[in-house]
Amino acid sequence: MKFAGVKLNELVSLLTVPFLISGIKSINKYLVYFLILFLSFLFITICLNLNTTFYLNLEGLSPLKLPYLISVSRFIELLACLSFALMIYKTINYYSNRGIEVSYTLRKVLNANFYISAIFLLVFLLTYLNILSLQNSSIVYDTTSYDPNNPTPRLRGFYVEGGPLGLFYAALYILTFFIKGRKWLLRASFLLVLLCSQSKAGIVAVLAWHFYLFYQNFKSAKWFRYVVLTALLPIFYLVFTMVIANYIHAVQNFSGIVAERQNDTNFVMGRIAAVFITPNMVMENPIFGVGLGNYALVRNNPDYLGILPPSKGWDAPGLGVFATLLVENGIYGLTLFILILYFMYRRYSRTSVVSGEAIKVFVLICLLGVQLHFLYIWFFIGLALAAPNDEIDS
């Protein structure tokens, strides 16, 4: 949710930045490593901008999205993410030191999100029954607005569209596996939101998680390798390709489709366009990338576009954290980020099942389209750093 263009959750997190800075000596060292890395992103970007050509003829370009300012904005958002991870880290430690299990704390978080999901589902139902209007709704929108006689509601829950909402609820669904006791109602509500959002990334996240759990449970069995090779992998591949069939078709027939859909923003912007634009960016800027937050400001460069038309609006690649790091911060940024995650995993997974699994979930969600400055993925970093000894309920 936003107020005057500012995300409320980021605003709340930014209020803790003085706490982050004043207590820098007592903060977990991995958060300090992330902070140093993000500071280097900003410094390198400022240097790169001196020789960068920007394309600013974009509709609705706000002052905060201008060169330099967008990089500072992104850095502040990343600072909010670190503050949020710090809050989670401190909170879990605080309650754990008082004998309260991590499972109990996480259930409180999931219960709060359950009530929000109930509101979303109620609004979606009332909209589907034509009791509430689709127009100007921040929770539900019409995916077939071009056909007023056949509206198709899709849940988005204050996001731009349904994909990010579904991925967020997939993360909540996975988080239910970190708690003890009954959780079928939580899982059912989160899955319903995911289905109503029609999020391909969210569905893939849930499928990948269950495939991982199956692997963990049976990897020591002698027969498992044969089951995986003969049944599970083909089934997962089939379902996965069915979910992303539209993307596969668009990429395979790209040159033929682009001439017909010059004015279709869903095609000339976002993930499909990024699949063709980002390799060109990486080849020209392999070491340090195009700069923090600069993708939308340089993507209209003819050297990057190829046969694609220029974008008229603000565009995000939508390819996920690691692809965006490679494009905007180069091999330098991607390598150091992965190294921090690797050493964090090696440090904490030995003594904490929860920590090891939390880092795996973070990586999974990052692979499926979420952006690094999305606050909720840093919940798993804070959880991992708290290094709880609680075993995940089998």
Side-chain angles (χ1 to χ4, degrees):
M1 296 178 66
K2 293 183 179 181
F3 179 76
V6 178
K7 295 178 183 177
L8 297 182
N9 57 357
E10 291 178 357
L11 180 61
V12 172
S13 293
L14 284 172
L15 293 176
T16 68
V17 169
F19 174 60
L20 173 70
I21 296 173
S22 63
I24 196 73
K25 293 182 179 179
S26 63
I27 292 173
N28 185 285
K29 64 179 181 180
Y30 292 101
L31 289 178
V32 177
Y33 295 158
F34 278 124
L35 177 60
I36 294 172
L37 180 62
F38 297 156
L39 278 168
S40 72
F41 288 171
L42 181 61
F43 175 75
I44 292 171
T45 300
I46 291 173
C47 296
L48 292 174
N49 284 358
L50 299 174
N51 294 311
T52 299
T53 300
F54 297 102
Y55 295 79
L56 305 179
N57 54 336
L58 304 176
E59 297 175 354
L61 187 64
S62 66
L64 291 177
K65 292 182 177 179
L66 292 173
Y68 295 96
L69 290 179
I70 181 59
S71 302
V72 174
S73 298
R74 282 287 180 263
F75 173 74
I76 292 175
E77 287 180 316
L78 293 174
L79 200 60
C81 291
L82 292 181
S83 297
F84 180 61
L86 176 64
M87 280 193 286
I88 303 305
Y89 167 67
K90 292 289 187 180
T91 300
I92 291 175
N93 276 333
Y94 176 84
Y95 287 115
S96 295
N97 291 336
R98 283 155 180 77
I100 299 176
E101 286 190 335
V102 174
S103 178
Y104 177 84
T105 307
L106 294 183
R107 183 174 285 276
K108 293 295 184 181
V109 173
L110 290 168
N111 285 342
N113 282 280
F114 168 76
Y115 295 124
I116 296 174
S117 68
I119 295 172
F120 285 166
L121 291 171
L122 177 61
V123 172
F124 181 82
L125 178 62
L126 295 177
T127 304
Y128 186 82
L129 297 175
N130 296 320
I131 297 175
L132 294 178
S133 174
L134 269 171
Q135 294 183 350
N136 303 319
S137 174
S138 299
I139 297 178
V140 184
Y141 70 111
D142 187 7
T143 56
T144 55
S145 55
Y146 52 84
D147 184 5
N149 296 321
N150 186 32
T152 306
R154 183 181 181 186
L155 196 58
R156 65 177 174 185
F158 300 103
Y159 280 96
V160 176
E161 48 104 17
L165 175 72
L167 190 56
F168 169 68
Y169 272 90
L172 288 174
Y173 174 83
I174 294 172
L175 192 61
T176 63
F177 289 83
F178 287 58
I179 64 175
K180 300 175 181 179
R182 298 175 62 182
K183 42 211 169 185
W184 64 267
L185 189 58
L186 292 171
R187 290 177 182 171
S189 64
F190 297 156
L191 282 178
L192 278 174
V193 172
L194 171 57
L195 294 174
C196 292
S197 71
Q198 303 173 37
S199 172
K200 300 177 182 66
I203 294 172
V204 171
V206 170
L207 289 174
W209 178 252
H210 278 287
F211 183 84
Y212 165 74
L213 292 180
F214 190 87
Y215 170 78
Q216 288 294 98
N217 288 331
F218 297 102
K219 64 181 179 181
S220 59
K222 294 181 179 179
W223 54 267
F224 179 75
R225 68 188 67 181
Y226 304 107
V227 173
V228 170
L229 292 176
T230 58
L232 291 182
L233 283 178
I235 291 173
F236 179 79
Y237 176 78
L238 177 63
V239 175
F240 179 77
T241 52
M242 289 174 60
V243 170
I244 64 169
N246 291 337
Y247 290 130
I248 295 175
H249 174 75
V251 171
Q252 290 177 340
N253 301 277
F254 182 75
S255 57
I257 298 175
V258 70
E260 302 175 0
R261 300 174 64 177
Q262 294 277 331
N263 298 318
D264 185 353
T265 56
N266 291 323
F267 184 76
V268 301
M269 295 170 61
R271 291 190 184 97
I272 296 175
V275 168
F276 296 91
I277 293 174
T278 54
N280 297 329
M281 287 185 175
V282 173
M283 285 189 290
E284 288 203 17
N285 312 275
I287 305 301
F288 296 114
V290 299
L292 183 64
N294 281 349
Y295 174 87
L297 296 177
V298 300
R299 56 94 70 198
N300 282 344
N301 186 328
D303 294 335
Y304 303 149
L305 286 177
I307 62 174
L308 276 166
S311 169
K312 297 179 181 178
W314 185 265
D315 186 23
L319 297 179
V321 167
F322 300 114
T324 303
L325 279 170
L326 180 60
V327 171
E328 294 192 346
N329 308 108
I331 296 172
Y332 162 81
L334 177 61
T335 302
L336 290 182
F337 187 83
I338 291 176
L339 283 175
I340 294 174
L341 287 177
Y342 168 74
F343 286 114
M344 187 192 310
Y345 178 79
R346 195 174 71 169
R347 161 66 179 82
Y348 291 111
S349 62
R350 297 172 181 174
T351 57
S352 170
V353 174
V354 172
S355 293
E357 300 296 86
I359 294 173
K360 291 175 184 177
V361 176
F362 177 84
V363 171
L364 172 63
I365 301 301
C366 285
L367 287 170
L368 293 173
V370 74
Q371 295 300 314
L372 188 60
H373 58 271
F374 274 33
L375 210 65
Y376 75 87
I377 60 174
W378 290 89
F379 180 94
F380 293 96
I381 294 296
L383 177 60
L385 292 177
N389 293 319
D390 298 35
E391 292 289 323
I392 295 175
D393 186 11
S394 60

